Amino acid sequence: MSSDSLPPLPQNRIVLGCGQVAVDFLATVASFPNPDDKIRSTSLKVQGGGNAGNASTCAARLGLNPRLISKVSNDSHGKGILEELEADGVDTSFFIVSEKGNSSFTYVIVDSQTKTRTCIHTPGYPPLIPEELSQSSLLSALDGVNMVYFDGRHHETALVVAKEAARKNIPILVEAEREREGLDDLLDFATYAICSAKFPQAWTEAPSFSSALISMLLRLPKLKFVIVTLGEEGCIMLERSVNGGSDAEEMDVQCLLESLKLIKDDSKTIPTCISSVETKLSADGIGTITGQLFVGTAEKIPPSELVDTTGAGDAFIGAVLYALCAGMPPEKMLPFAAQVAATGCRALGARTGLPLRTDPRLVSFL
């Protein structure tokens, strides 16, 4: 498929994000320093960052119309954050700009040897509080919105937005990177959740990874699916069945997950997805839900092309936002999101390598 024959864009699809924005100072080093070392960077880049800012930028480049609720200070960092987002097509008209304090910033050390990154974050101050978002601004921000996304920051304001979005029956995607204050309340409103590898077990205290996914869907009755991102190992998704599937065969979720992993094709370099049939999935001591399990793989990026994994999870989320708005089934959504994330890893910084919808690497996935 050529870029000329791409399917039409989701028409006027608006996503509203609420969360963190920052400035990233990215320094690439030959290898991570030892204590008390003095070393030189091999490259340096300064650009916008923050989970919600990165995911919104990704969504904009893929063709959605993102709006963002966040807060910056009226300092050089804050002005740069707004200018960069606006240049990428992100609507920043619902930002709060403080005349005092500081905007968020992060020092990112990118290790060329291990292909890892270390982040040292300084939060913005003063923090965003619900009283700064008027009711009229909230209603305007939600007007015509197809989906709302929260990265777990600014939890008090996020909860106000989530309650109004739920009242309007707008689907909600919540990122669960790690346990945070107020995240439990946000997850109660979630239609979709995307988690880090360690979050499901930490949050549910379930004895295994797979049983934790069952526990999440049982604890969160509004949740349609949960995706767990696993870096170069791909992702796992558990989707709740819509009709209940009372006649479906019951299977142990851990056994099913292991069987899917055995049949995935590790020889392929591009992202793929395999899935179970709709069935009753059980976890001993946890319970049973009816649904489907999906195993997605990541692109095998040649070492010579892998530059920086900063923001890969944010890119994945931005791509999932696009896929949901476009009505992609999971079998198509997971490889597409993995490819978007992998494309971004080929350049320094969370946003430098984020692809446009017409990028040749994405054409076959669309």
Side-chain angles (χ1 to χ4, degrees):
M1 182 187 292
S2 70
S3 59
D4 293 334
S5 57
L6 286 173
L9 275 168
Q11 289 299 307
N12 299 318
R13 292 294 179 173
I14 303 171
V15 292
L16 174 65
C18 179
Q20 184 184 32
V21 294
V23 172
D24 287 349
F25 296 88
L26 299 120
T28 304
V29 297
S31 62
F32 197 83
N34 294 313
D36 213 29
D37 271 358
K38 290 184 178 181
I39 63 172
R40 291 188 177 185
S41 63
T42 56
S43 64
L44 177 68
K45 191 173 192 68
V46 181
Q47 71 172 190
N51 294 34
N54 295 336
S56 297
T57 298
C58 179
R61 292 192 189 179
L62 293 173
L64 297 184
N65 299 303
R67 299 170 182 166
L68 193 51
I69 296 173
S70 192
K71 184 175 183 177
V72 295
S73 290
N74 189 23
D75 52 16
S76 59
H77 291 169
K79 291 172 183 175
I81 288 169
L82 295 176
E83 289 172 1
E84 191 173 336
L85 288 169
E86 290 162 3
D88 262 308
V90 178
D91 183 348
T92 64
S93 60
F94 300 101
F95 266 65
I96 304 301
V97 179
S98 172
E99 292 301 323
K100 299 179 180 179
N102 64 277
S103 300
S104 300
F105 61 93
T106 305
Y107 295 116
V108 184
I109 303 172
V110 181
D111 187 334
S112 298
Q113 188 174 46
T114 61
K115 306 294 185 180
T116 58
R117 86 286 185 273
T118 302
C119 302
I120 306 168
H121 180 65
T122 299
Y125 184 85
L128 179 63
I129 57 175
E131 290 77 14
E132 293 177 300
L133 182 67
S134 69
Q135 182 68 11
S136 60
S137 290
L138 172 59
L139 295 177
S140 294
L142 287 168
D143 185 42
V145 163
N146 301 97
M147 189 166 302
V148 179
Y149 152 64
F150 301 100
D151 69 4
R153 275 77 164 193
H154 305 309
H155 64 277
E156 293 177 333
T157 304
L159 188 59
V160 172
V161 179
K163 288 178 178 178
E164 187 63 28
R167 194 182 69 80
K168 293 177 175 291
N169 295 315
I170 301 172
I172 294 170
L173 188 153
V174 175
E175 175 186 0
E177 188 177 35
R178 60 182 175 85
E179 293 185 85
R180 300 180 188 277
E181 186 178 359
L183 181 58
D184 287 15
D185 294 329
L186 271 181
L187 284 170
D188 284 337
F189 289 95
T191 318
Y192 314 103
I194 299 182
C195 308
S196 63
K198 295 180 180 179
F199 180 82
Q201 272 186 272
W203 189 68
T204 63
E205 299 182 343
S208 68
F209 171 82
S210 56
S211 63
L213 300 185
I214 298 286
S215 181
M216 284 190 71
L217 287 185
L218 289 173
R219 286 178 60 176
L220 302 170
K222 295 178 182 178
L223 200 62
K224 292 184 178 181
F225 69 61
V226 55
I227 298 173
V228 181
T229 57
L230 305 170
E232 63 183 14
E233 296 300 316
C235 64
I236 307 293
M237 172 175 164
L238 180 57
E239 182 178 43
R240 190 193 307 271
S241 172
V242 176
N243 54 30
S246 57
D247 298 330
E249 178 186 357
E250 184 170 320
M251 292 189 67
D252 178 78
V253 67
Q254 182 62 35
C255 292
L256 180 58
L257 178 58
E258 293 303 323
S259 68
L260 289 177
K261 287 181 177 179
L262 286 174
I263 62 174
K264 72 176 181 178
D265 188 352
D266 289 324
S267 67
K268 291 186 176 180
T269 58
I270 63 171
T272 60
C273 179
I274 55 174
S275 66
S276 72
V277 296
E278 185 179 288
T279 189
K280 287 183 180 176
L281 298 165
S282 63
D284 190 34
I286 302 294
T288 303
I289 65 109
T290 302
Q292 271 185 286
L293 197 61
F294 300 82
V295 174
T297 65
E299 182 188 0
K300 291 182 172 62
I301 306 173
S304 60
E305 296 181 21
L306 178 59
V307 176
D308 179 19
T309 60
T310 301
D314 305 331
F316 186 95
I317 289 173
V320 168
L321 289 171
Y322 173 88
L324 289 170
C325 288
M328 285 187 190
E331 296 89 345
K332 191 173 180 180
M333 174 178 71
L334 297 182
F336 170 71
Q339 186 61 55
V340 171
T343 302
C345 292
R346 288 173 160 88
L348 181 62
R351 300 182 189 174
T352 310
L354 287 177
L356 297 172
R357 185 171 175 270
T358 52
D359 190 292
R361 291 190 182 95
L362 302 186
V363 171
S364 63
F365 294 89
L366 292 168

PDB file of all heavy atoms in Angstrom, residues 4 6 17 26 45 49 54 59 65 83 89 130 151 167-168 176 219 224 237 251-252 274 284 307 316 321 330 362:
ATOM      1  N   ASP A   4      -0.442   7.086  -1.016  1.00  0.00           N
ATOM      2  CA  ASP A   4      -1.565   7.656  -1.754  1.00  0.00           C
ATOM      3  C   ASP A   4      -2.851   6.863  -1.545  1.00  0.00           C
ATOM      4  O   ASP A   4      -3.944   7.369  -1.787  1.00  0.00           O
ATOM      5  CB  ASP A   4      -1.246   7.694  -3.251  1.00  0.00           C
ATOM      6  CG  ASP A   4      -0.115   8.666  -3.562  1.00  0.00           C
ATOM      7  OD1 ASP A   4       0.063   9.621  -2.786  1.00  0.00           O
ATOM      8  OD2 ASP A   4       0.593   8.459  -4.567  1.00  0.00           O
ATOM      9  N   LEU A   6      -3.715   5.284   1.411  1.00  0.00           N
ATOM     10  CA  LEU A   6      -4.013   5.103   2.828  1.00  0.00           C
ATOM     11  C   LEU A   6      -5.510   5.265   3.070  1.00  0.00           C
ATOM     12  O   LEU A   6      -6.178   6.032   2.379  1.00  0.00           O
ATOM     13  CB  LEU A   6      -3.260   6.136   3.670  1.00  0.00           C
ATOM     14  CG  LEU A   6      -1.765   5.932   3.858  1.00  0.00           C
ATOM     15  CD1 LEU A   6      -1.174   7.142   4.572  1.00  0.00           C
ATOM     16  CD2 LEU A   6      -1.482   4.671   4.640  1.00  0.00           C
ATOM     17  N   GLY A  17      -6.216  15.285  26.404  1.00  0.00           N
ATOM     18  CA  GLY A  17      -5.280  14.746  27.379  1.00  0.00           C
ATOM     19  C   GLY A  17      -5.220  15.631  28.610  1.00  0.00           C
ATOM     20  O   GLY A  17      -5.484  16.834  28.551  1.00  0.00           O
ATOM     21  N   LEU A  26      18.429  16.109  27.138  1.00  0.00           N
ATOM     22  CA  LEU A  26      18.905  14.763  26.840  1.00  0.00           C
ATOM     23  C   LEU A  26      20.394  14.789  26.522  1.00  0.00           C
ATOM     24  O   LEU A  26      20.830  15.457  25.577  1.00  0.00           O
ATOM     25  CB  LEU A  26      18.143  14.182  25.652  1.00  0.00           C
ATOM     26  CG  LEU A  26      16.629  14.038  25.857  1.00  0.00           C
ATOM     27  CD1 LEU A  26      15.875  14.851  24.824  1.00  0.00           C
ATOM     28  CD2 LEU A  26      16.211  12.575  25.784  1.00  0.00           C
ATOM     29  N   LYS A  45      20.491  17.301  23.388  1.00  0.00           N
ATOM     30  CA  LYS A  45      19.267  17.802  22.754  1.00  0.00           C
ATOM     31  C   LYS A  45      18.331  18.323  23.832  1.00  0.00           C
ATOM     32  O   LYS A  45      18.204  17.732  24.902  1.00  0.00           O
ATOM     33  CB  LYS A  45      18.582  16.688  21.954  1.00  0.00           C
ATOM     34  CG  LYS A  45      17.460  17.194  21.057  1.00  0.00           C
ATOM     35  CD  LYS A  45      16.947  16.091  20.174  1.00  0.00           C
ATOM     36  CE  LYS A  45      16.039  16.655  19.077  1.00  0.00           C
ATOM     37  NZ  LYS A  45      16.751  17.479  18.102  1.00  0.00           N
ATOM     38  N   GLY A  49       8.882  17.353  26.663  1.00  0.00           N
ATOM     39  CA  GLY A  49       8.683  15.999  27.162  1.00  0.00           C
ATOM     40  C   GLY A  49       7.455  15.920  28.036  1.00  0.00           C
ATOM     41  O   GLY A  49       6.556  16.764  27.965  1.00  0.00           O
ATOM     42  N   ASN A  54       4.005  14.109  25.250  1.00  0.00           N
ATOM     43  CA  ASN A  54       4.539  13.229  24.207  1.00  0.00           C
ATOM     44  C   ASN A  54       3.430  12.453  23.504  1.00  0.00           C
ATOM     45  O   ASN A  54       3.407  12.346  22.273  1.00  0.00           O
ATOM     46  CB  ASN A  54       5.542  12.244  24.810  1.00  0.00           C
ATOM     47  CG  ASN A  54       6.774  12.926  25.365  1.00  0.00           C
ATOM     48  OD1 ASN A  54       7.117  14.022  24.959  1.00  0.00           O
ATOM     49  ND2 ASN A  54       7.435  12.267  26.295  1.00  0.00           N
ATOM     50  N   ALA A  59      -0.169  11.620  18.795  1.00  0.00           N
ATOM     51  CA  ALA A  59      -1.526  11.574  18.238  1.00  0.00           C
ATOM     52  C   ALA A  59      -1.718  12.629  17.157  1.00  0.00           C
ATOM     53  O   ALA A  59      -2.361  12.384  16.130  1.00  0.00           O
ATOM     54  CB  ALA A  59      -2.553  11.751  19.356  1.00  0.00           C
ATOM     55  N   ASN A  65      -6.749  15.318  16.433  1.00  0.00           N
ATOM     56  CA  ASN A  65      -6.766  16.715  16.881  1.00  0.00           C
ATOM     57  C   ASN A  65      -6.736  16.736  18.412  1.00  0.00           C
ATOM     58  O   ASN A  65      -7.778  16.743  19.062  1.00  0.00           O
ATOM     59  CB  ASN A  65      -8.030  17.423  16.369  1.00  0.00           C
ATOM     60  CG  ASN A  65      -8.099  17.444  14.863  1.00  0.00           C
ATOM     61  OD1 ASN A  65      -7.199  17.930  14.206  1.00  0.00           O
ATOM     62  ND2 ASN A  65      -9.169  16.881  14.301  1.00  0.00           N
ATOM     63  N   GLU A  83       5.115  26.502  22.741  1.00  0.00           N
ATOM     64  CA  GLU A  83       5.439  26.723  21.336  1.00  0.00           C
ATOM     65  C   GLU A  83       5.644  25.412  20.590  1.00  0.00           C
ATOM     66  O   GLU A  83       5.182  25.248  19.457  1.00  0.00           O
ATOM     67  CB  GLU A  83       6.695  27.598  21.224  1.00  0.00           C
ATOM     68  CG  GLU A  83       6.459  29.054  21.627  1.00  0.00           C
ATOM     69  CD  GLU A  83       7.749  29.849  21.703  1.00  0.00           C
ATOM     70  OE1 GLU A  83       8.833  29.267  21.415  1.00  0.00           O
ATOM     71  OE2 GLU A  83       7.700  31.041  22.065  1.00  0.00           O
ATOM     72  N   GLY A  89       0.576  20.926  16.371  1.00  0.00           N
ATOM     73  CA  GLY A  89      -0.868  20.839  16.204  1.00  0.00           C
ATOM     74  C   GLY A  89      -1.638  20.462  17.447  1.00  0.00           C
ATOM     75  O   GLY A  89      -2.808  20.063  17.362  1.00  0.00           O
ATOM     76  N   PRO A 130      -7.672  21.872  40.938  1.00  0.00           N
ATOM     77  CA  PRO A 130      -8.966  21.914  40.250  1.00  0.00           C
ATOM     78  C   PRO A 130      -9.560  23.319  40.131  1.00  0.00           C
ATOM     79  O   PRO A 130     -10.230  23.632  39.136  1.00  0.00           O
ATOM     80  CB  PRO A 130      -9.852  21.008  41.115  1.00  0.00           C
ATOM     81  CG  PRO A 130      -8.905  20.085  41.802  1.00  0.00           C
ATOM     82  CD  PRO A 130      -7.670  20.892  42.039  1.00  0.00           C
ATOM     83  N   ASP A 151      -2.543  10.642  32.183  1.00  0.00           N
ATOM     84  CA  ASP A 151      -1.278   9.955  32.465  1.00  0.00           C
ATOM     85  C   ASP A 151      -1.051   9.753  33.960  1.00  0.00           C
ATOM     86  O   ASP A 151       0.004   9.268  34.365  1.00  0.00           O
ATOM     87  CB  ASP A 151      -0.095  10.681  31.825  1.00  0.00           C
ATOM     88  CG  ASP A 151       0.216  12.042  32.464  1.00  0.00           C
ATOM     89  OD1 ASP A 151      -0.424  12.413  33.470  1.00  0.00           O
ATOM     90  OD2 ASP A 151       1.117  12.747  31.951  1.00  0.00           O
ATOM     91  N   ARG A 167     -19.792  11.470  32.764  1.00  0.00           N
ATOM     92  CA  ARG A 167     -21.189  11.933  32.694  1.00  0.00           C
ATOM     93  C   ARG A 167     -21.637  12.117  31.261  1.00  0.00           C
ATOM     94  O   ARG A 167     -22.807  11.905  30.926  1.00  0.00           O
ATOM     95  CB  ARG A 167     -21.328  13.250  33.471  1.00  0.00           C
ATOM     96  CG  ARG A 167     -22.752  13.658  33.765  1.00  0.00           C
ATOM     97  CD  ARG A 167     -22.820  14.989  34.483  1.00  0.00           C
ATOM     98  NE  ARG A 167     -22.415  16.097  33.627  1.00  0.00           N
ATOM     99  CZ  ARG A 167     -23.217  16.665  32.708  1.00  0.00           C
ATOM    100  NH1 ARG A 167     -24.450  16.214  32.535  1.00  0.00           N
ATOM    101  NH2 ARG A 167     -22.789  17.677  31.993  1.00  0.00           N
ATOM    102  N   LYS A 168     -20.700  12.472  30.377  1.00  0.00           N
ATOM    103  CA  LYS A 168     -20.997  12.662  28.964  1.00  0.00           C
ATOM    104  C   LYS A 168     -20.780  11.392  28.147  1.00  0.00           C
ATOM    105  O   LYS A 168     -20.847  11.414  26.913  1.00  0.00           O
ATOM    106  CB  LYS A 168     -20.109  13.783  28.404  1.00  0.00           C
ATOM    107  CG  LYS A 168     -20.412  15.169  28.964  1.00  0.00           C
ATOM    108  CD  LYS A 168     -19.435  16.200  28.396  1.00  0.00           C
ATOM    109  CE  LYS A 168     -19.788  17.607  28.837  1.00  0.00           C
ATOM    110  NZ  LYS A 168     -21.051  18.094  28.218  1.00  0.00           N
ATOM    111  N   ALA A 176      -1.330   3.677  33.576  1.00  0.00           N
ATOM    112  CA  ALA A 176      -0.944   3.261  34.931  1.00  0.00           C
ATOM    113  C   ALA A 176       0.518   2.846  34.896  1.00  0.00           C
ATOM    114  O   ALA A 176       0.851   1.668  34.787  1.00  0.00           O
ATOM    115  CB  ALA A 176      -1.832   2.123  35.421  1.00  0.00           C
ATOM    116  N   ARG A 219     -11.935  -6.016  39.276  1.00  0.00           N
ATOM    117  CA  ARG A 219     -12.006  -4.867  40.183  1.00  0.00           C
ATOM    118  C   ARG A 219     -12.534  -3.613  39.490  1.00  0.00           C
ATOM    119  O   ARG A 219     -13.054  -2.708  40.157  1.00  0.00           O
ATOM    120  CB  ARG A 219     -10.626  -4.580  40.770  1.00  0.00           C
ATOM    121  CG  ARG A 219     -10.194  -5.582  41.822  1.00  0.00           C
ATOM    122  CD  ARG A 219      -8.788  -5.297  42.348  1.00  0.00           C
ATOM    123  NE  ARG A 219      -8.677  -3.973  42.964  1.00  0.00           N
ATOM    124  CZ  ARG A 219      -7.574  -3.532  43.570  1.00  0.00           C
ATOM    125  NH1 ARG A 219      -6.502  -4.314  43.623  1.00  0.00           N
ATOM    126  NH2 ARG A 219      -7.542  -2.338  44.112  1.00  0.00           N
ATOM    127  N   LYS A 224     -12.814  -2.086  29.574  1.00  0.00           N
ATOM    128  CA  LYS A 224     -13.006  -2.974  28.424  1.00  0.00           C
ATOM    129  C   LYS A 224     -11.761  -3.793  28.130  1.00  0.00           C
ATOM    130  O   LYS A 224     -11.849  -4.939  27.708  1.00  0.00           O
ATOM    131  CB  LYS A 224     -13.414  -2.161  27.186  1.00  0.00           C
ATOM    132  CG  LYS A 224     -14.797  -1.538  27.289  1.00  0.00           C
ATOM    133  CD  LYS A 224     -15.172  -0.838  25.988  1.00  0.00           C
ATOM    134  CE  LYS A 224     -16.580  -0.257  26.072  1.00  0.00           C
ATOM    135  NZ  LYS A 224     -16.971   0.421  24.802  1.00  0.00           N
ATOM    136  N   MET A 237      -2.401  -8.097  26.078  1.00  0.00           N
ATOM    137  CA  MET A 237      -3.684  -7.406  26.218  1.00  0.00           C
ATOM    138  C   MET A 237      -4.754  -8.413  26.612  1.00  0.00           C
ATOM    139  O   MET A 237      -4.840  -9.508  26.048  1.00  0.00           O
ATOM    140  CB  MET A 237      -4.070  -6.731  24.900  1.00  0.00           C
ATOM    141  CG  MET A 237      -5.481  -6.159  24.880  1.00  0.00           C
ATOM    142  SD  MET A 237      -5.794  -5.252  23.334  1.00  0.00           S
ATOM    143  CE  MET A 237      -7.579  -5.143  23.376  1.00  0.00           C
ATOM    144  N   MET A 251     -10.636 -21.808  30.670  1.00  0.00           N
ATOM    145  CA  MET A 251      -9.211 -22.113  30.620  1.00  0.00           C
ATOM    146  C   MET A 251      -8.468 -21.319  31.679  1.00  0.00           C
ATOM    147  O   MET A 251      -8.855 -20.195  32.008  1.00  0.00           O
ATOM    148  CB  MET A 251      -8.618 -21.778  29.241  1.00  0.00           C
ATOM    149  CG  MET A 251      -9.085 -22.649  28.104  1.00  0.00           C
ATOM    150  SD  MET A 251      -8.123 -22.318  26.602  1.00  0.00           S
ATOM    151  CE  MET A 251      -6.496 -22.924  27.105  1.00  0.00           C
ATOM    152  N   ASP A 252      -7.391 -21.905  32.196  1.00  0.00           N
ATOM    153  CA  ASP A 252      -6.523 -21.174  33.108  1.00  0.00           C
ATOM    154  C   ASP A 252      -5.766 -20.109  32.326  1.00  0.00           C
ATOM    155  O   ASP A 252      -5.144 -20.406  31.296  1.00  0.00           O
ATOM    156  CB  ASP A 252      -5.535 -22.127  33.779  1.00  0.00           C
ATOM    157  CG  ASP A 252      -4.581 -21.403  34.704  1.00  0.00           C
ATOM    158  OD1 ASP A 252      -4.982 -21.061  35.820  1.00  0.00           O
ATOM    159  OD2 ASP A 252      -3.432 -21.159  34.278  1.00  0.00           O
ATOM    160  N   ILE A 274      -0.882 -12.255  18.009  1.00  0.00           N
ATOM    161  CA  ILE A 274      -1.654 -13.489  17.997  1.00  0.00           C
ATOM    162  C   ILE A 274      -2.670 -13.412  19.129  1.00  0.00           C
ATOM    163  O   ILE A 274      -2.454 -12.727  20.130  1.00  0.00           O
ATOM    164  CB  ILE A 274      -0.767 -14.741  18.151  1.00  0.00           C
ATOM    165  CG1 ILE A 274       0.099 -14.648  19.414  1.00  0.00           C
ATOM    166  CG2 ILE A 274       0.100 -14.949  16.922  1.00  0.00           C
ATOM    167  CD1 ILE A 274       0.886 -15.899  19.689  1.00  0.00           C
ATOM    168  N   ASP A 284      -6.749 -18.972  39.612  1.00  0.00           N
ATOM    169  CA  ASP A 284      -7.006 -19.615  40.896  1.00  0.00           C
ATOM    170  C   ASP A 284      -6.963 -18.600  42.032  1.00  0.00           C
ATOM    171  O   ASP A 284      -5.996 -17.847  42.181  1.00  0.00           O
ATOM    172  CB  ASP A 284      -5.961 -20.713  41.133  1.00  0.00           C
ATOM    173  CG  ASP A 284      -6.321 -21.583  42.320  1.00  0.00           C
ATOM    174  OD1 ASP A 284      -7.528 -21.802  42.536  1.00  0.00           O
ATOM    175  OD2 ASP A 284      -5.399 -22.028  43.029  1.00  0.00           O
ATOM    176  N   VAL A 307      18.548   4.207  18.896  1.00  0.00           N
ATOM    177  CA  VAL A 307      19.235   5.378  19.446  1.00  0.00           C
ATOM    178  C   VAL A 307      18.806   5.665  20.883  1.00  0.00           C
ATOM    179  O   VAL A 307      19.638   5.842  21.773  1.00  0.00           O
ATOM    180  CB  VAL A 307      18.981   6.624  18.555  1.00  0.00           C
ATOM    181  CG1 VAL A 307      19.612   7.872  19.173  1.00  0.00           C
ATOM    182  CG2 VAL A 307      19.520   6.389  17.154  1.00  0.00           C
ATOM    183  N   PHE A 316       3.527   4.697  22.144  1.00  0.00           N
ATOM    184  CA  PHE A 316       2.595   3.566  22.078  1.00  0.00           C
ATOM    185  C   PHE A 316       1.188   4.028  22.441  1.00  0.00           C
ATOM    186  O   PHE A 316       0.211   3.699  21.760  1.00  0.00           O
ATOM    187  CB  PHE A 316       3.073   2.464  23.028  1.00  0.00           C
ATOM    188  CG  PHE A 316       2.283   1.184  22.951  1.00  0.00           C
ATOM    189  CD1 PHE A 316       2.710   0.145  22.145  1.00  0.00           C
ATOM    190  CD2 PHE A 316       1.119   1.014  23.700  1.00  0.00           C
ATOM    191  CE1 PHE A 316       1.981  -1.048  22.079  1.00  0.00           C
ATOM    192  CE2 PHE A 316       0.385  -0.161  23.635  1.00  0.00           C
ATOM    193  CZ  PHE A 316       0.820  -1.198  22.818  1.00  0.00           C
ATOM    194  N   LEU A 321      -4.427   5.656  21.012  1.00  0.00           N
ATOM    195  CA  LEU A 321      -5.488   6.663  20.906  1.00  0.00           C
ATOM    196  C   LEU A 321      -5.963   6.782  19.459  1.00  0.00           C
ATOM    197  O   LEU A 321      -7.169   6.818  19.179  1.00  0.00           O
ATOM    198  CB  LEU A 321      -4.983   8.018  21.411  1.00  0.00           C
ATOM    199  CG  LEU A 321      -4.755   8.149  22.915  1.00  0.00           C
ATOM    200  CD1 LEU A 321      -4.040   9.464  23.232  1.00  0.00           C
ATOM    201  CD2 LEU A 321      -6.074   8.082  23.678  1.00  0.00           C
ATOM    202  N   PRO A 330      -8.034  -5.139  17.843  1.00  0.00           N
ATOM    203  CA  PRO A 330      -6.778  -5.339  18.579  1.00  0.00           C
ATOM    204  C   PRO A 330      -5.670  -5.971  17.747  1.00  0.00           C
ATOM    205  O   PRO A 330      -4.501  -5.624  17.890  1.00  0.00           O
ATOM    206  CB  PRO A 330      -7.185  -6.258  19.737  1.00  0.00           C
ATOM    207  CG  PRO A 330      -8.630  -5.976  19.948  1.00  0.00           C
ATOM    208  CD  PRO A 330      -9.195  -5.693  18.589  1.00  0.00           C
ATOM    209  N   LEU A 362       4.892   2.923   8.454  1.00  0.00           N
ATOM    210  CA  LEU A 362       3.533   2.702   8.986  1.00  0.00           C
ATOM    211  C   LEU A 362       2.542   2.264   7.912  1.00  0.00           C
ATOM    212  O   LEU A 362       1.464   1.755   8.245  1.00  0.00           O
ATOM    213  CB  LEU A 362       3.006   3.993   9.633  1.00  0.00           C
ATOM    214  CG  LEU A 362       3.830   4.606  10.780  1.00  0.00           C
ATOM    215  CD1 LEU A 362       3.061   5.777  11.373  1.00  0.00           C
ATOM    216  CD2 LEU A 362       4.149   3.574  11.842  1.00  0.00           C
TER     217      LEU A 362
END
